[in-house]
Amino acid sequence: MAEETTGKVKSGKTFDSAYGFSFSIAAGLVLFIAGLVISLTLGEGTSIGLIFGIPLLVAGLVIPLFMMRDLFRTKEIKEPCPNCGATIRTSDATLQLRCESCQQVINVREGKLFPAE
Ligand SMILES: [Zn+2]
């Protein structure tokens, strides 16, 4: 039988991710527009606008990607089962799971495994 998990995602984490997501999009957009304005207004006939504008354009595209990569990276947990000692692999996005070896329901809290009541 396949691994049976009662995988619930923390509601607080979803809110933080949504907030960080829109913030990184907004920051990227501001940089991108600033870069676009600078390269269009100062760029006429000179390379000054391109020198300042292009890095801003690139930053506007790259920074949100970096921030988002950080947001969606979940910490992997590899801990022994508190009931039977079998190694359990899960992520910190999991709230509760069932041990494959002993079928005990395990709660996941701050990277540690606790037997459910
Ligand atoms: Zn177990």
Side-chain angles (χ1 to χ4, degrees):
M1 201 166 86
E3 182 187 7
E4 191 193 331
T5 53
T6 50
K8 293 172 198 160
V9 176
K10 290 171 194 168
S11 55
K13 195 178 173 76
T14 314
F15 174 78
D16 284 348
S17 297
Y19 181 78
F21 185 81
S22 32
F23 179 79
S24 59
I25 293 286
L29 209 64
V30 167
L31 283 170
F32 190 86
I33 290 167
L36 206 65
V37 167
I38 288 170
S39 48
L40 286 177
T41 53
L42 299 176
E44 287 177 68
T46 64
S47 57
I48 297 165
L50 291 176
I51 290 165
F52 288 101
I54 298 296
L56 277 173
L57 282 171
V58 173
L61 293 171
V62 171
I63 286 173
L65 288 176
F66 267 99
M67 291 175 82
M68 276 188 263
R69 196 184 62 174
D70 227 43
L71 281 171
F72 292 118
R73 189 171 51 197
T74 51
K75 212 177 92 195
E76 193 185 77
I77 299 166
K78 201 176 164 188
E79 289 275 318
C81 171
N83 192 46
C84 70
T87 305
I88 297 174
R89 290 177 67 150
T90 184
S91 80
D92 67 347
T94 312
L95 268 189
Q96 200 174 66
L97 59 93
R98 192 182 290 273
C99 176
E100 277 181 83
S101 306
C102 64
Q103 304 302 311
Q104 165 87 32
V105 177
I106 313 291
N107 287 328
V108 184
R109 251 177 293 156
E110 283 150 25
K112 294 269 177 281
L113 304 174
F114 300 93
E117 263 100 279

PDB file of all heavy atoms in Angstrom, residues 31-58:
ATOM      1  N   LEU A  31      10.843  47.944  -9.847  1.00  0.00           N
ATOM      2  CA  LEU A  31      12.185  47.969 -10.429  1.00  0.00           C
ATOM      3  C   LEU A  31      12.111  47.923 -11.956  1.00  0.00           C
ATOM      4  O   LEU A  31      12.843  48.644 -12.648  1.00  0.00           O
ATOM      5  CB  LEU A  31      13.017  46.784  -9.924  1.00  0.00           C
ATOM      6  CG  LEU A  31      13.576  46.895  -8.514  1.00  0.00           C
ATOM      7  CD1 LEU A  31      14.152  45.559  -8.067  1.00  0.00           C
ATOM      8  CD2 LEU A  31      14.644  47.969  -8.435  1.00  0.00           C
ATOM      9  N   PHE A  32      11.233  47.084 -12.457  1.00  0.00           N
ATOM     10  CA  PHE A  32      11.090  46.907 -13.902  1.00  0.00           C
ATOM     11  C   PHE A  32      10.614  48.208 -14.559  1.00  0.00           C
ATOM     12  O   PHE A  32      11.185  48.658 -15.558  1.00  0.00           O
ATOM     13  CB  PHE A  32      10.091  45.777 -14.181  1.00  0.00           C
ATOM     14  CG  PHE A  32      10.042  45.352 -15.622  1.00  0.00           C
ATOM     15  CD1 PHE A  32      10.938  44.412 -16.100  1.00  0.00           C
ATOM     16  CD2 PHE A  32       9.104  45.890 -16.487  1.00  0.00           C
ATOM     17  CE1 PHE A  32      10.901  44.010 -17.428  1.00  0.00           C
ATOM     18  CE2 PHE A  32       9.052  45.494 -17.815  1.00  0.00           C
ATOM     19  CZ  PHE A  32       9.953  44.553 -18.285  1.00  0.00           C
ATOM     20  N   ILE A  33       9.599  48.835 -13.955  1.00  0.00           N
ATOM     21  CA  ILE A  33       9.065  50.089 -14.497  1.00  0.00           C
ATOM     22  C   ILE A  33      10.108  51.196 -14.398  1.00  0.00           C
ATOM     23  O   ILE A  33      10.298  51.968 -15.343  1.00  0.00           O
ATOM     24  CB  ILE A  33       7.742  50.465 -13.773  1.00  0.00           C
ATOM     25  CG1 ILE A  33       6.634  49.479 -14.184  1.00  0.00           C
ATOM     26  CG2 ILE A  33       7.320  51.896 -14.095  1.00  0.00           C
ATOM     27  CD1 ILE A  33       5.385  49.548 -13.333  1.00  0.00           C
ATOM     28  N   ALA A  34      10.810  51.273 -13.246  1.00  0.00           N
ATOM     29  CA  ALA A  34      11.863  52.273 -13.066  1.00  0.00           C
ATOM     30  C   ALA A  34      12.934  52.102 -14.142  1.00  0.00           C
ATOM     31  O   ALA A  34      13.391  53.086 -14.740  1.00  0.00           O
ATOM     32  CB  ALA A  34      12.475  52.149 -11.678  1.00  0.00           C
ATOM     33  N   GLY A  35      13.323  50.866 -14.378  1.00  0.00           N
ATOM     34  CA  GLY A  35      14.321  50.580 -15.401  1.00  0.00           C
ATOM     35  C   GLY A  35      13.835  50.959 -16.785  1.00  0.00           C
ATOM     36  O   GLY A  35      14.579  51.529 -17.591  1.00  0.00           O
ATOM     37  N   LEU A  36      12.562  50.697 -17.037  1.00  0.00           N
ATOM     38  CA  LEU A  36      11.964  51.006 -18.334  1.00  0.00           C
ATOM     39  C   LEU A  36      11.913  52.515 -18.554  1.00  0.00           C
ATOM     40  O   LEU A  36      12.282  53.022 -19.618  1.00  0.00           O
ATOM     41  CB  LEU A  36      10.545  50.412 -18.378  1.00  0.00           C
ATOM     42  CG  LEU A  36       9.981  50.065 -19.747  1.00  0.00           C
ATOM     43  CD1 LEU A  36      10.783  48.952 -20.384  1.00  0.00           C
ATOM     44  CD2 LEU A  36       8.527  49.644 -19.612  1.00  0.00           C
ATOM     45  N   VAL A  37      11.473  53.255 -17.518  1.00  0.00           N
ATOM     46  CA  VAL A  37      11.357  54.719 -17.598  1.00  0.00           C
ATOM     47  C   VAL A  37      12.734  55.340 -17.815  1.00  0.00           C
ATOM     48  O   VAL A  37      12.913  56.213 -18.670  1.00  0.00           O
ATOM     49  CB  VAL A  37      10.682  55.276 -16.317  1.00  0.00           C
ATOM     50  CG1 VAL A  37      10.836  56.792 -16.241  1.00  0.00           C
ATOM     51  CG2 VAL A  37       9.213  54.886 -16.296  1.00  0.00           C
ATOM     52  N   ILE A  38      13.726  54.869 -17.035  1.00  0.00           N
ATOM     53  CA  ILE A  38      15.080  55.415 -17.138  1.00  0.00           C
ATOM     54  C   ILE A  38      15.664  55.153 -18.522  1.00  0.00           C
ATOM     55  O   ILE A  38      16.203  56.059 -19.165  1.00  0.00           O
ATOM     56  CB  ILE A  38      15.994  54.836 -16.028  1.00  0.00           C
ATOM     57  CG1 ILE A  38      15.601  55.440 -14.675  1.00  0.00           C
ATOM     58  CG2 ILE A  38      17.470  55.133 -16.320  1.00  0.00           C
ATOM     59  CD1 ILE A  38      16.268  54.772 -13.482  1.00  0.00           C
ATOM     60  N   SER A  39      15.528  53.941 -19.012  1.00  0.00           N
ATOM     61  CA  SER A  39      16.115  53.632 -20.319  1.00  0.00           C
ATOM     62  C   SER A  39      15.384  54.348 -21.457  1.00  0.00           C
ATOM     63  O   SER A  39      15.981  54.652 -22.489  1.00  0.00           O
ATOM     64  CB  SER A  39      16.166  52.118 -20.559  1.00  0.00           C
ATOM     65  OG  SER A  39      14.941  51.520 -20.251  1.00  0.00           O
ATOM     66  N   LEU A  40      14.105  54.653 -21.258  1.00  0.00           N
ATOM     67  CA  LEU A  40      13.352  55.351 -22.301  1.00  0.00           C
ATOM     68  C   LEU A  40      13.584  56.861 -22.277  1.00  0.00           C
ATOM     69  O   LEU A  40      13.689  57.494 -23.326  1.00  0.00           O
ATOM     70  CB  LEU A  40      11.848  55.063 -22.173  1.00  0.00           C
ATOM     71  CG  LEU A  40      11.400  53.666 -22.617  1.00  0.00           C
ATOM     72  CD1 LEU A  40       9.919  53.494 -22.378  1.00  0.00           C
ATOM     73  CD2 LEU A  40      11.742  53.390 -24.069  1.00  0.00           C
ATOM     74  N   THR A  41      13.669  57.451 -21.062  1.00  0.00           N
ATOM     75  CA  THR A  41      13.814  58.903 -20.960  1.00  0.00           C
ATOM     76  C   THR A  41      15.257  59.350 -21.124  1.00  0.00           C
ATOM     77  O   THR A  41      15.536  60.300 -21.848  1.00  0.00           O
ATOM     78  CB  THR A  41      13.261  59.418 -19.616  1.00  0.00           C
ATOM     79  OG1 THR A  41      13.872  58.671 -18.562  1.00  0.00           O
ATOM     80  CG2 THR A  41      11.757  59.277 -19.544  1.00  0.00           C
ATOM     81  N   LEU A  42      16.188  58.678 -20.444  1.00  0.00           N
ATOM     82  CA  LEU A  42      17.599  59.064 -20.533  1.00  0.00           C
ATOM     83  C   LEU A  42      18.290  58.386 -21.708  1.00  0.00           C
ATOM     84  O   LEU A  42      19.357  58.799 -22.128  1.00  0.00           O
ATOM     85  CB  LEU A  42      18.346  58.698 -19.243  1.00  0.00           C
ATOM     86  CG  LEU A  42      17.863  59.365 -17.949  1.00  0.00           C
ATOM     87  CD1 LEU A  42      18.643  58.802 -16.763  1.00  0.00           C
ATOM     88  CD2 LEU A  42      18.031  60.879 -18.002  1.00  0.00           C
ATOM     89  N   GLY A  43      17.676  57.356 -22.230  1.00  0.00           N
ATOM     90  CA  GLY A  43      18.335  56.528 -23.237  1.00  0.00           C
ATOM     91  C   GLY A  43      18.397  57.133 -24.622  1.00  0.00           C
ATOM     92  O   GLY A  43      19.108  56.621 -25.479  1.00  0.00           O
ATOM     93  N   GLU A  44      17.664  58.194 -24.847  1.00  0.00           N
ATOM     94  CA  GLU A  44      17.620  58.772 -26.186  1.00  0.00           C
ATOM     95  C   GLU A  44      18.982  59.342 -26.589  1.00  0.00           C
ATOM     96  O   GLU A  44      19.436  60.332 -26.057  1.00  0.00           O
ATOM     97  CB  GLU A  44      16.550  59.871 -26.249  1.00  0.00           C
ATOM     98  CG  GLU A  44      15.146  59.281 -26.237  1.00  0.00           C
ATOM     99  CD  GLU A  44      14.080  60.359 -26.235  1.00  0.00           C
ATOM    100  OE1 GLU A  44      13.958  61.054 -27.254  1.00  0.00           O
ATOM    101  OE2 GLU A  44      13.406  60.508 -25.206  1.00  0.00           O
ATOM    102  N   GLY A  45      19.614  58.694 -27.518  1.00  0.00           N
ATOM    103  CA  GLY A  45      20.891  59.184 -28.046  1.00  0.00           C
ATOM    104  C   GLY A  45      22.090  58.838 -27.212  1.00  0.00           C
ATOM    105  O   GLY A  45      23.208  58.867 -27.702  1.00  0.00           O
ATOM    106  N   THR A  46      21.883  58.529 -25.937  1.00  0.00           N
ATOM    107  CA  THR A  46      23.029  58.202 -25.086  1.00  0.00           C
ATOM    108  C   THR A  46      22.893  56.784 -24.557  1.00  0.00           C
ATOM    109  O   THR A  46      21.839  56.163 -24.652  1.00  0.00           O
ATOM    110  CB  THR A  46      23.135  59.163 -23.882  1.00  0.00           C
ATOM    111  OG1 THR A  46      21.979  58.971 -23.070  1.00  0.00           O
ATOM    112  CG2 THR A  46      23.243  60.604 -24.327  1.00  0.00           C
ATOM    113  N   SER A  47      23.974  56.307 -23.973  1.00  0.00           N
ATOM    114  CA  SER A  47      23.943  54.957 -23.407  1.00  0.00           C
ATOM    115  C   SER A  47      23.724  54.997 -21.900  1.00  0.00           C
ATOM    116  O   SER A  47      23.667  53.949 -21.262  1.00  0.00           O
ATOM    117  CB  SER A  47      25.242  54.222 -23.739  1.00  0.00           C
ATOM    118  OG  SER A  47      26.337  54.950 -23.250  1.00  0.00           O
ATOM    119  N   ILE A  48      23.577  56.240 -21.338  1.00  0.00           N
ATOM    120  CA  ILE A  48      23.416  56.357 -19.879  1.00  0.00           C
ATOM    121  C   ILE A  48      22.151  55.625 -19.419  1.00  0.00           C
ATOM    122  O   ILE A  48      22.156  54.884 -18.447  1.00  0.00           O
ATOM    123  CB  ILE A  48      23.353  57.849 -19.450  1.00  0.00           C
ATOM    124  CG1 ILE A  48      24.683  58.541 -19.787  1.00  0.00           C
ATOM    125  CG2 ILE A  48      23.077  57.972 -17.947  1.00  0.00           C
ATOM    126  CD1 ILE A  48      24.630  60.054 -19.746  1.00  0.00           C
ATOM    127  N   GLY A  49      21.074  55.842 -20.162  1.00  0.00           N
ATOM    128  CA  GLY A  49      19.805  55.216 -19.814  1.00  0.00           C
ATOM    129  C   GLY A  49      19.891  53.704 -19.835  1.00  0.00           C
ATOM    130  O   GLY A  49      19.302  53.037 -18.983  1.00  0.00           O
ATOM    131  N   LEU A  50      20.636  53.180 -20.804  1.00  0.00           N
ATOM    132  CA  LEU A  50      20.779  51.724 -20.901  1.00  0.00           C
ATOM    133  C   LEU A  50      21.640  51.182 -19.769  1.00  0.00           C
ATOM    134  O   LEU A  50      21.349  50.129 -19.204  1.00  0.00           O
ATOM    135  CB  LEU A  50      21.383  51.345 -22.251  1.00  0.00           C
ATOM    136  CG  LEU A  50      20.480  51.576 -23.471  1.00  0.00           C
ATOM    137  CD1 LEU A  50      21.230  51.248 -24.757  1.00  0.00           C
ATOM    138  CD2 LEU A  50      19.205  50.761 -23.380  1.00  0.00           C
ATOM    139  N   ILE A  51      22.703  51.980 -19.426  1.00  0.00           N
ATOM    140  CA  ILE A  51      23.603  51.528 -18.357  1.00  0.00           C
ATOM    141  C   ILE A  51      22.854  51.402 -17.036  1.00  0.00           C
ATOM    142  O   ILE A  51      23.034  50.453 -16.282  1.00  0.00           O
ATOM    143  CB  ILE A  51      24.817  52.486 -18.222  1.00  0.00           C
ATOM    144  CG1 ILE A  51      25.723  52.335 -19.449  1.00  0.00           C
ATOM    145  CG2 ILE A  51      25.603  52.218 -16.941  1.00  0.00           C
ATOM    146  CD1 ILE A  51      26.745  53.454 -19.610  1.00  0.00           C
ATOM    147  N   PHE A  52      21.968  52.381 -16.764  1.00  0.00           N
ATOM    148  CA  PHE A  52      21.213  52.343 -15.515  1.00  0.00           C
ATOM    149  C   PHE A  52      19.908  51.546 -15.655  1.00  0.00           C
ATOM    150  O   PHE A  52      19.448  50.919 -14.710  1.00  0.00           O
ATOM    151  CB  PHE A  52      20.886  53.769 -15.036  1.00  0.00           C
ATOM    152  CG  PHE A  52      22.084  54.496 -14.517  1.00  0.00           C
ATOM    153  CD1 PHE A  52      22.732  55.438 -15.305  1.00  0.00           C
ATOM    154  CD2 PHE A  52      22.572  54.240 -13.243  1.00  0.00           C
ATOM    155  CE1 PHE A  52      23.846  56.109 -14.833  1.00  0.00           C
ATOM    156  CE2 PHE A  52      23.688  54.899 -12.769  1.00  0.00           C
ATOM    157  CZ  PHE A  52      24.334  55.839 -13.562  1.00  0.00           C
ATOM    158  N   GLY A  53      19.325  51.624 -16.826  1.00  0.00           N
ATOM    159  CA  GLY A  53      18.010  51.011 -17.025  1.00  0.00           C
ATOM    160  C   GLY A  53      18.042  49.511 -17.133  1.00  0.00           C
ATOM    161  O   GLY A  53      17.207  48.828 -16.526  1.00  0.00           O
ATOM    162  N   ILE A  54      18.998  48.973 -17.901  1.00  0.00           N
ATOM    163  CA  ILE A  54      19.048  47.524 -18.119  1.00  0.00           C
ATOM    164  C   ILE A  54      19.253  46.735 -16.820  1.00  0.00           C
ATOM    165  O   ILE A  54      18.516  45.782 -16.575  1.00  0.00           O
ATOM    166  CB  ILE A  54      20.113  47.164 -19.183  1.00  0.00           C
ATOM    167  CG1 ILE A  54      19.760  47.803 -20.546  1.00  0.00           C
ATOM    168  CG2 ILE A  54      20.290  45.654 -19.322  1.00  0.00           C
ATOM    169  CD1 ILE A  54      18.475  47.306 -21.197  1.00  0.00           C
ATOM    170  N   PRO A  55      20.222  47.157 -15.958  1.00  0.00           N
ATOM    171  CA  PRO A  55      20.362  46.402 -14.693  1.00  0.00           C
ATOM    172  C   PRO A  55      19.092  46.425 -13.858  1.00  0.00           C
ATOM    173  O   PRO A  55      18.755  45.432 -13.209  1.00  0.00           O
ATOM    174  CB  PRO A  55      21.497  47.134 -13.964  1.00  0.00           C
ATOM    175  CG  PRO A  55      22.266  47.789 -15.048  1.00  0.00           C
ATOM    176  CD  PRO A  55      21.241  48.189 -16.075  1.00  0.00           C
ATOM    177  N   LEU A  56      18.362  47.547 -13.868  1.00  0.00           N
ATOM    178  CA  LEU A  56      17.101  47.634 -13.125  1.00  0.00           C
ATOM    179  C   LEU A  56      16.048  46.696 -13.722  1.00  0.00           C
ATOM    180  O   LEU A  56      15.309  46.038 -12.995  1.00  0.00           O
ATOM    181  CB  LEU A  56      16.579  49.073 -13.137  1.00  0.00           C
ATOM    182  CG  LEU A  56      17.178  50.012 -12.085  1.00  0.00           C
ATOM    183  CD1 LEU A  56      16.703  51.436 -12.324  1.00  0.00           C
ATOM    184  CD2 LEU A  56      16.806  49.576 -10.675  1.00  0.00           C
ATOM    185  N   LEU A  57      16.004  46.643 -15.039  1.00  0.00           N
ATOM    186  CA  LEU A  57      15.067  45.734 -15.715  1.00  0.00           C
ATOM    187  C   LEU A  57      15.362  44.288 -15.330  1.00  0.00           C
ATOM    188  O   LEU A  57      14.465  43.516 -15.010  1.00  0.00           O
ATOM    189  CB  LEU A  57      15.188  45.887 -17.234  1.00  0.00           C
ATOM    190  CG  LEU A  57      14.504  47.098 -17.870  1.00  0.00           C
ATOM    191  CD1 LEU A  57      14.905  47.229 -19.338  1.00  0.00           C
ATOM    192  CD2 LEU A  57      13.002  46.987 -17.771  1.00  0.00           C
ATOM    193  N   VAL A  58      16.647  43.948 -15.368  1.00  0.00           N
ATOM    194  CA  VAL A  58      17.063  42.580 -15.040  1.00  0.00           C
ATOM    195  C   VAL A  58      16.760  42.279 -13.575  1.00  0.00           C
ATOM    196  O   VAL A  58      16.217  41.214 -13.243  1.00  0.00           O
ATOM    197  CB  VAL A  58      18.570  42.383 -15.351  1.00  0.00           C
ATOM    198  CG1 VAL A  58      19.055  41.023 -14.866  1.00  0.00           C
ATOM    199  CG2 VAL A  58      18.807  42.515 -16.856  1.00  0.00           C
TER     200      VAL A  58
END
